[in-house]
Amino acid sequence: MTIQTAKLSDPAVRAFVAAVNSHDLDGFRALLTPDATMADDGTDRDLEDWVDREIFSSHGHMEVDNESNGGRALIARYSNDTWGEMRTRWSFTVADDGRISRFETGQA
């Protein structure tokens, strides 16, 4: 069963999912610390390149099925124009200022 974005527990993660789903690149960037990092399937990636390719230029969309770790770990059906839909896991590290300093994703 899908969890509505507005009902996600962690404010930073909730804003992340909302920005992805509304294709709000500026809003998305504002959620990340200046030195934010990310990994896909266990391999660190160039954040700007990955976000452009996998989310914004390919119309990424997240449907969250489950959350844990206080809302900082998600299982979601993620879809984009490149790969179609897949079951993915996401984990987030949120800095003291409330912005995301790292996220990791991969197939679940």
Side-chain angles (χ1 to χ4, degrees), residues 11-60:
V13 173
R14 183 169 58 240
F16 180 100
V17 174
V20 168
N21 289 349
S22 64
H23 310 292
D24 178 4
L25 180 57
D26 291 336
F28 180 90
R29 284 189 175 128
L31 299 170
L32 303 177
T33 62
D35 59 347
T37 60
M38 64 86 53
D40 184 4
D41 283 327
T43 302
D44 275 28
R45 306 285 186 189
D46 178 276
L47 185 126
E48 285 290 323
D49 175 66
W50 189 92
V51 164
D52 176 61
R53 187 169 23 88
E54 298 293 339
I55 298 176
F56 291 99
S57 67
S58 61
H59 307 103

Side-chain angles (χ1 to χ4, degrees), residues 84-99:
E85 184 176 292
M86 65 192 108
R87 188 169 162 83
T88 57
R89 59 176 166 67
W90 298 76
S91 64
F92 299 88
T93 304
V94 179
D96 292 341
D97 68 0
R99 292 187 294 171

